[in-house]
């Protein structure tokens, strides 16, 4: 029977940090359930509610809306200690979580030894990825290698001990081979993590079943992605990617519903582009503009505090993201950051190292490092957009900029964010 509710995916269309947390926070108002479908504590969603700032790493941003149910799907790698740190911090700040958080029994657990290996591998690598150091790659490696531990396993003490022991042993040997030292700290951290097992198990649920039932009951569901399309394990700038599928199709696999249950896919793009970590970044600005935009946009990582590289809007990537994710619309964030810049560049294509121009996003990451963007220059609007709440009240040049973005990306703009506050949003009718 066809689902009667509605199911929307929110997906990042650049290299993460597009402002998905803000869009989820705004859209969560109108839904009943928000579920995360991949990633782990590498994500950092910053949300402003009134004067308060919340940075969420694992719990969906929807948690800041009273009464909404928030779920973590099977596609997530869940760091138990970090999860309860965040959970308890929300309670301490007065957020009522009772009966509101559920974790898939099929979600993989990320243990302190995964973090240890992530950092040892990065420290010793000739070609660094620039990971967040949260253990994401090693946890997904254990999942794919069928050595992982899932939430449901927490209920079987004997099996759990055995699986954890084998996985930990293997990783510790690898860490030592990489020249790093395993100290007693790891045992302490492991004991802390495992001591939280029963508490996590109590939140365990069948997320796919929960969402399917909710949809049959006519409820509205939001599936929240982390990172972005260019960091997707298959479609991103491999190997400079994260270790999960970040794109919209993964929202079905990562929560346990069928793809036909999804009806809307909102792609989130910043009005310009940023990237943290290593890897090619075709539309990177010159050092002066890079610094200028970073200062205007406060472009520092929410998880690691690292400065983000800043660049112009890249419509080759946006168009690719529209295709890979099957976007039904775009949410353009941080338009206000461009308010004072007199002239803006938008990349319409790439000049390849052999001189040809393409508007396809290349699979070959090494040639992507050598492309020259072909830019179109658009006039800035040089006035504040922060107080604008209706499309028709935006300056003409800002509207022209957004029209061009939509045309090049091949997806209509449905939302425009003009500041970090919940109220600073324009819904395009
Ligand atoms: P990992 O996900 O920690 O393994 O990092 C792999 C790559 O993804 C690195 O380039 C990170 O900087 C990047 N990355 C991971 N999570 C985020 C995020 O939430 N925002 C932006 N970049 C991220």
């Amino acid at each position: 029977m066809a689902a009667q509710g509605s199911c929307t995916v929110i997906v990042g269309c650049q290299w993460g940090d597009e402002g998905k947390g803000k869009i989820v926070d705004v859209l969560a108002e109108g839904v009943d359930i928000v579920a995360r479908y991949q990633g782990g504590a590498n994500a950092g969603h910053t949300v402003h509610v009134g004067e308060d700032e919340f940075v969420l790493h694992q719990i969906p941003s929807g948690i800041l809306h009273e009464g909404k149910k928030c779920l973590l799907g099977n596609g997530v790698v869940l760091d138990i200690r970090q999860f309860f740190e965040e959970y308890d911090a929300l309670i301490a700040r007065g957020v009522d979580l009772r009966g509101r958080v559920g974790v898939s029994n099929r979600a993989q657990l990320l243990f302190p030894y995964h973090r240890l290996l992530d950092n040892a591998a990065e420290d010793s690598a000739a070609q660094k990825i620039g990971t967040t150091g949260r253990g994401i790659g090693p946890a997904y490696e254990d999942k794919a290698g069928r050595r992982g531990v899932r939430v449901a396993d927490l209920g079987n003490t004997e099996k759990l001990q055995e699986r954890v022991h084998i996985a930990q042993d293997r990783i510790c040997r690898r860490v030592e081979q990489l020249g790093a030292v395993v100290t007693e700290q790891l045992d302490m951290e492991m004991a802390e993590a495992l001591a939280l097992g029963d508490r996590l198990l109590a939140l365990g649920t069948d997320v796919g079943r929960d969402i399917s039932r909710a949809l049959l009951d006519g409820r509205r569901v939001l599936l929240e992605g982390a990172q972005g399309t260019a960091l997707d394990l298959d479609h991103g700038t491999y190997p400079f990617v994260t270790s999960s599928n970040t794109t919209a199709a993964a929202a079905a696999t990562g929560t346990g519903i069928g793809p036909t249950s999804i009806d809307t896919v909102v792609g989130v793009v910043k009005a310009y582009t940023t990237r943290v970590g290593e890897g090619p970044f075709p539309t990177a600005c010159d050092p002066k503009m890079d610094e200028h935009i970073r200062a205007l946009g406060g472009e520092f990582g929410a998880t690691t505090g690292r400065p983000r590289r800043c660049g112009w809007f890249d419509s080759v990537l946006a168009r690719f993201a529209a295709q890979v994710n099957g976007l039904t619309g775009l949410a353009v964030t941080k338009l206000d950051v461009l308010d004072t810049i007199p002239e803006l560049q938008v990349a319409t294509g790439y000049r390849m190292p052999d001189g040809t121009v393409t508007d396809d996003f290349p699979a070959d990451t090494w040639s992507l490092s050598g492309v020259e963007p072909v830019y179109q220059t658009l006039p800035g609007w040089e006035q504040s957009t922060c107080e604008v709440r209706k499309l028709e009240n935006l300056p003409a040049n800002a509207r022209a900029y957004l029209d061009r973005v939509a045309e090049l990306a091949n997806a209509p703009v449905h939302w425009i964010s003009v500041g970090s506050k919940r109220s600073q949003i324009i819904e395009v009718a």
Side-chain angles (χ1 to χ4, degrees):
M1 191 168 52
Q4 289 147 29
S6 70
C7 187
T8 299
V9 178
I10 306 288
V11 65
C13 290
Q14 295 160 329
W15 279 277
D17 307 320
E18 298 92 349
K20 294 177 292 295
K22 155 87 188 261
I23 299 301
V24 170
D25 181 57
V26 168
L27 297 190
E29 178 77 45
V31 308
D32 305 288
I33 295 179
V34 184
R36 258 290 285 279
Y37 60 84
Q38 45 72 229
N42 48 348
H45 292 161
T46 309
V47 183
H48 292 94
V49 183
E51 295 306 306
D52 290 331
E53 180 182 283
F54 293 83
V55 181
L56 299 163
H57 297 284
Q58 296 191 104
I59 299 180
S61 321
I63 204 68
L64 301 172
H65 284 274
E66 227 173 283
K68 311 288 172 188
K69 185 121 190 159
C70 288
L71 303 172
L72 278 86
N74 55 281
V76 162
V77 284
L78 194 140
D79 180 330
I80 316 185
R81 289 187 317 150
Q82 171 104 34
F83 173 80
F84 279 114
E85 214 173 276
E86 199 171 315
Y87 189 94
D88 292 336
L90 284 168
I91 294 175
R93 290 177 74 175
V95 182
D96 185 357
L97 299 184
R98 280 172 299 175
R100 295 183 54 208
V101 180
V103 173
S104 167
N105 286 323
R106 295 181 173 87
Q108 294 277 328
L109 297 177
L110 183 150
F111 283 114
Y113 51 76
H114 292 125
R115 282 188 184 230
L116 199 63
L117 177 56
D118 191 5
N119 289 299
E122 275 289 274
D123 288 347
S124 62
Q127 173 66 78
K128 297 188 193 311
I129 302 293
T131 73
T132 59
R134 297 297 189 269
I136 305 299
Y140 279 114
E141 273 181 52
D142 273 356
K143 174 180 180 177
R146 294 156 295 185
R147 296 178 295 272
V149 179
R150 309 201 296 178
V151 171
D153 299 332
L154 291 166
N156 184 332
T157 318
E158 210 175 299
K159 273 266 170 270
L160 174 71
Q161 296 289 354
E162 188 187 309
R163 286 191 78 79
V164 167
H165 183 73
I166 293 172
Q168 179 170 345
D169 230 38
R170 186 173 177 281
I171 283 192
C172 287
R173 268 183 277 126
R174 274 183 73 192
V175 167
E176 281 165 354
Q177 277 163 8
L178 291 168
V181 185
V182 180
T183 67
E184 281 170 11
Q185 168 109 3
L186 178 63
D187 288 332
M188 272 163 45
E189 290 178 1
M190 282 303 294
E192 269 173 41
L194 292 170
L196 292 163
D198 283 345
R199 212 176 154 201
L200 189 67
L201 203 52
L203 300 177
T205 186
D206 184 333
V207 167
R209 178 206 58 195
D210 295 349
I211 295 178
S212 300
R213 280 188 187 163
L215 290 173
L216 283 172
D217 282 349
R219 295 189 191 281
R220 292 147 304 172
V221 177
L222 211 57
L223 305 181
E224 169 181 335
Q227 292 84 48
T229 301
L231 290 172
D232 181 279
L233 184 57
D234 287 77
H235 303 290
T237 49
Y238 191 90
F240 304 101
V241 292
T242 190
S243 298
S244 64
N245 285 116
T246 58
T247 39
T253 352
T255 53
I257 58 168
T260 48
S261 297
I262 297 167
D263 44 74
T264 305
V265 181
V266 178
V268 187
V269 288
K270 247 180 232 182
Y272 48 99
T273 316
T274 61
R275 170 158 211 184
V276 272
E278 302 303 317
F281 184 24
T283 62
C285 291
D286 63 63
K288 211 166 143 206
M289 186 55 84
D290 171 68
E291 206 178 318
H292 187 49
I293 296 183
R294 184 160 45 253
L296 288 171
E299 295 294 354
F300 296 89
T303 301
T304 58
R306 290 181 290 178
R308 297 173 183 148
R309 290 183 271 164
C310 297
W312 300 113
F313 188 81
D314 184 343
S315 60
V316 181
L317 173 57
R319 197 164 40 242
F320 176 69
Q323 170 225 302
V324 172
N325 294 297
L327 298 186
T328 55
L330 285 171
V332 180
T333 61
K334 294 188 126 176
L335 184 73
D336 56 297
V337 171
L338 303 182
D339 282 353
T340 54
I341 302 179
E343 261 188 357
L344 303 164
Q345 313 282 336
V346 172
T348 57
Y350 294 156
R351 193 175 310 282
M352 301 300 286
D354 67 2
T356 56
V357 172
T358 181
D359 56 11
D360 286 335
F361 195 65
D364 171 8
T365 300
W366 313 113
S367 36
L368 188 59
S369 312
V371 303
E372 276 287 319
V374 177
Y375 284 117
Q376 176 182 2
T377 304
L378 292 168
W381 41 96
E382 298 187 79
Q383 67 190 87
S384 174
T385 55
C386 293
E387 301 307 323
V388 178
R389 299 291 177 266
K390 285 193 177 142
L391 184 68
E392 57 267 33
N393 295 339
L394 276 176
N397 285 352
R399 288 192 64 173
Y401 183 82
L402 291 166
D403 286 347
R404 189 66 179 133
V405 160
E407 183 184 20
L408 288 166
N410 202 21
V413 174
H414 287 167
W415 302 91
I416 304 151
S417 171
V418 289
S420 61
K421 295 198 186 108
R422 211 175 244 180
S423 58
Q424 290 177 301
I425 190 95
I426 300 168
E427 182 175 358
V428 180

